[in-house]
DNA sequence: ATAGGGTTAG
């Protein structure tokens, strides 16, 4: 049971005795090492003063005054705290001393240490005061420790729960631990709320990603007549940018100009962020141009904004012009490349960042891992994994999640599963990533089994989980299971199916040749059918050579997006399959007249840590001659088994013979030839490709795997194909 | 109590 009676304070007794020479000596110390030296000296004369108030006091002021950037300050703090932590139980620390330690630990970004020290203090009989609790709560908020609940109760027992400082800290702690409703409850019961309290509540919404609610709170604040300061405005602007609420941003901009045209740099940067997050780069650029000197934060926001719009070259040039770059600016540029499908550049930049002497944090790592996932290069992935473990990111949940995805996308389910199994904690993203990984590899049964386990463990699936599950059913041809999953979404989990779910269902039904049913689903869905669902239907029609429904799907698709290259390609393949060559030419003509270009096929593979790229018909590789020689050989060998190129996959108006040539030059065939030349017999050949593999390449790979006795793992845009002994793991469901 | 970078799906 908690005691609230203050205990006698022996340390105060020490202070009140006349200072000894030893004490005076201590006070001459000029640095922590110096103090340690004096301390050791006094110990030798049997005077242990380390537990006296003056010593601790001096120790603290020295620790706190050393420059915060140097590593010595953290080790000084370490020393200071260890003295506290090893002091005997009967010390009964004075809250003032405890508060200084807690504040020091917080300032040194050592919340865990603060909590340990606090626990130690409590055991020694500390009775916290109105300054202790906020510090503890802030530490707990940062570590995710549930000391907050305990502190809440303690505050009530000590009668401190009506103190505005304590209340504000409670709001912050609840919010940081994801209990926004509890935070709001405390906030609403506060009899008076200063700007800090409003700020903490606003920040609380932002921390849990509820940006629109933050904006609502700001509106409430304004209507209760409170005038925001620059800190509040900066927070709200940030929320506004993240909520991508351009209108709100503009009105905030007006408000700021009206109320106080002297905008400080924080606000300027925050305004730029609003516009760049909303994709309004013209306005962002104008504000940025008016900024002198350009600050780091604003420049980073510009880099981010352009990168998000795909204008990666402009982003890069701003990045290159920045005189100083910190971790956040590097990360923004790296994630820009990662998100714009330029994984090699992302990894290159990561190396440059390290050369410049910066160590990544976990957020940088997420972009790096995700870039490697997109690249699909297994050796790189293994290297990144080692790097993650070496640099202390192994136990970070989000990084573990990204690793699962990375190994799945690099073709090694085994690695992904190992990481999954060894994760100390798992959240919905962990499970979803693993389910999606299994789906990509065509293992639908395991994906469903994992989903059952997930439910048993009480993790609530979200809409992404269902995308993965439906995708798993679709790629494994599990029609009934897919229907059940689809139905359970709304019925059991309260998740309304979105476009991607309908897309998966259309895919699932379509691949099972239930094309009529797929069409009915599209026509009866509560959302307006979009490019995704018509595209799925068209794809299925191509697989089954179903011209009539396919034409309809293509027509609808092209109404929605006349420049959709995939639609023309699929339609043309479909006509080719049916032998309707006039229609093939017609599609081609239409495409030409509308200036639509087919995305160029590109494959790549890793050799000795280097990624080699092949475009369709590529002749630029330094070992071009060898590659084509090998390709000819493979074609000849396969020909003996009855292979002949399937020209339906060619989308060019060429003569028959030229079509054959074009199909034979598909990028994955070039990559395969390169792989056969350069890798040892019996080793796995891994190829990644930007588009979906064509029918001809698919059968080509199957035969090649048999003749050359090689396992070939091909990642295409939608899934993995593992060719072995003349068969593919996809079982033709693709 | 203040501004900039983040994992699954698309």
């Amino acid at each position: 049971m908690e005691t609230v009676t203050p205990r006698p304070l022996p340390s105060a007794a020490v202070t009140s005795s006349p200072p000894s020479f030893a004490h005076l000596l201590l006070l001459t110390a000029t640095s922590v090492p110096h103090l340690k030296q004096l301390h050791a000296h006094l110990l030798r004369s049997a005077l242990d003063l380390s537990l006296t108030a003056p010593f601790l006091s001096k120790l603290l002021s020295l620790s706190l005054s050393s420059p915060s950037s140097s590593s010595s300050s953290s080790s000084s703090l370490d020393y200071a705290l260890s003295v506290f932590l090893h002091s005997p139980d009967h010390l009964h620390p004075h809250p003032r001393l405890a508060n200084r330690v807690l504040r020091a630990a917080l300032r040194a970004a050592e919340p865990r240490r603060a909590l340990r020290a606090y626990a130690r203090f409590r055991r020694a009989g500390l009775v916290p005061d109105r300054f202790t609790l906020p510090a503890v709560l802030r530490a707990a908020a940062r570590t995710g420790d549930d000391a907050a609940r305990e502190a809440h109760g303690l505050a009530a027992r000590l009668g401190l729960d009506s103190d505005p400082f304590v209340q504000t800290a409670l709001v912050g702690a609840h919010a940081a631990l994801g209990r926004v409703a509890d935070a709001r409850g405390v906030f609403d019961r506060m009899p008076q709320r200063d700007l800090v309290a409003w700020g903490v509540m606003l920040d609380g919404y932002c921390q849990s990603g509820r940006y629109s609610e933050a904006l609502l709170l700001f509106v409430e604040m304004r209507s209760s007549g409170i005038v925001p300061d620059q800190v509040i405005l900066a927070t709200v602007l940030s929320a506004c940018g993240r909520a991508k609420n351009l209108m709100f941003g503009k009105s905030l901009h007006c408000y700021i100009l009206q109320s106080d045209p002297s905008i400080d740099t924080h606000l300027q940067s925050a305004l730029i962020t609003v516009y760049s997050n909303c994709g309004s780069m013209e306005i962002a650029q104008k504000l940025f141009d008016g900024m002198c000197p350009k600050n780091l934060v604003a420049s980073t926001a510009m880099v981010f904004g352009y990168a998000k719009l795909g204008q990666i070259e402009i982003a890069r040039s701003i990045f290159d012009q920045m005189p100083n770059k910190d971790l956040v600016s590097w990360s923004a540029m790296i994630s820009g490349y990662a998100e714009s499908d330029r994984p090699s550049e992302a990894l290159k930049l990561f190396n440059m960042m390290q050369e410049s002497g910066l160590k990544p944090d976990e957020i940088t790592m997420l972009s790096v891992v995700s870039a490697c996932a997109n690249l699909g290069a297994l050796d790189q992935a293994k290297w990144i994994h080692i790097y993650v473990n070496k640099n202390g990111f192994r136990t970070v949940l989000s990084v573990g999640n990204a690793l699962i995805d990375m190994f799945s996308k690099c073709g090694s389910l085994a690695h992904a599963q190992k990481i999954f199994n060894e994760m100390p904690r798992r959240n919905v993203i962990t499970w979803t990533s693993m389910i999606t990984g299994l789906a990509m590899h065509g293992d639908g049964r395991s994906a469903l089994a994992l989903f059952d386990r997930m439910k048993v463990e009480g993790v609530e699936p979200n809409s992404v989980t269902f995308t993965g599950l439906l995708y798993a059913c679709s790629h494994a041809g599990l029609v009934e299971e897919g229907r059940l999953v689809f139905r359970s979404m709304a019925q059991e989990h309260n998740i309304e199916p979105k476009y991607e779910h309908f897309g998966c269902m259309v895919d699932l039904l379509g691949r099972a040749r239930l094309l009529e049913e797929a069409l009915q689903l599209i026509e009866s869905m509560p959302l307006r059918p979009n490019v995704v669902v018509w595209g799925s239907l068209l794809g299925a029609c191509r697989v089954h050579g179903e011209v009539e429904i396919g034409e309809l799907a293509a027509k609808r698709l092209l109404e929605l997006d006349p420049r959709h290259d995939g639609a023309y390609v699929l339609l043309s393949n479909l006509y080719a399959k049916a032998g309707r060559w006039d229609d093939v030419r017609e599609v081609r003509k239409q495409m030409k007249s509308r200036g639509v270009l087919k995305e160029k096929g590109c494959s790549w593979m890793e050799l000795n840590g280097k990624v080699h790229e092949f475009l369709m018909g590529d002749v630029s590789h330094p070992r071009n001659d060898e590659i084509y020689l090998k390709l000819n050989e493979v074609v000849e060998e396969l020909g003996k088994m009855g292979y002949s190129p399937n020209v339906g996959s060619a989308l060019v108006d060429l003569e028959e013979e030229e079509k054959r040539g074009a199909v034979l030059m598909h990028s994955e065939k070039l990559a395969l030839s390169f792989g056969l030349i350069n890798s040892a017999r019996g080793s796995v050949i891994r190829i990644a490709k930007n588009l979906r593999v064509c029918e001809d390449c698919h059968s080509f790979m199957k035969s090649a795997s048999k003749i050359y006795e090689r396992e070939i793992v091909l990642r295409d845009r939608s899934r993995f194909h593992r060719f072995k002994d003349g068969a593919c793991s996809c079982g033709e469901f693709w």
Side-chain angles (χ1 to χ4, degrees), chain A residues 139-155:
Chain A
R142 277 194 231 166
T143 58
D145 189 297
D146 218 2
R149 277 227 193 275
E150 209 181 291
H152 201 159
L154 182 58

Side-chain angles (χ1 to χ4, degrees), chain A residues 449-471:
Chain A
L450 200 63
F451 181 52
D452 287 333
R453 241 182 89 196
M454 170 181 178
K455 285 190 286 191
V456 170
E457 296 198 13
V459 182
E460 259 309 298
N462 63 22
S463 92
V464 184
T465 318
F466 282 101
T467 310
L469 282 167
L470 292 172
Y471 190 58

Side-chain angles (χ1 to χ4, degrees), chain A residues 27-42:
Chain A
L27 298 182
T28 65
T30 54
S31 66
V32 176
H34 188 190
L35 184 68
K36 277 189 191 169
Q37 210 181 349
L38 290 172
H39 178 217
H41 184 77
L42 292 169

Side-chain angles (χ1 to χ4, degrees), chain A residues 404 408 413 416-421 426-439 443-461 465 468-469 472 485:
Chain A
I404 292 175
S408 304
L413 258 187
Q417 275 166 320
K418 186 163 186 297
I419 290 173
F420 178 85
N421 291 332
R426 300 189 187 109
N427 65 5
V428 59
I429 297 180
T430 321
W431 291 92
T432 303
S433 301
M434 196 63 245
I435 286 172
T436 307
L438 290 163
D443 193 349
R445 297 264 170 224
S446 302
L448 290 172
L450 200 63
F451 181 52
D452 287 333
R453 241 182 89 196
M454 170 181 178
K455 285 190 286 191
V456 170
E457 296 198 13
V459 182
E460 259 309 298
T465 318
L469 282 167
V485 167

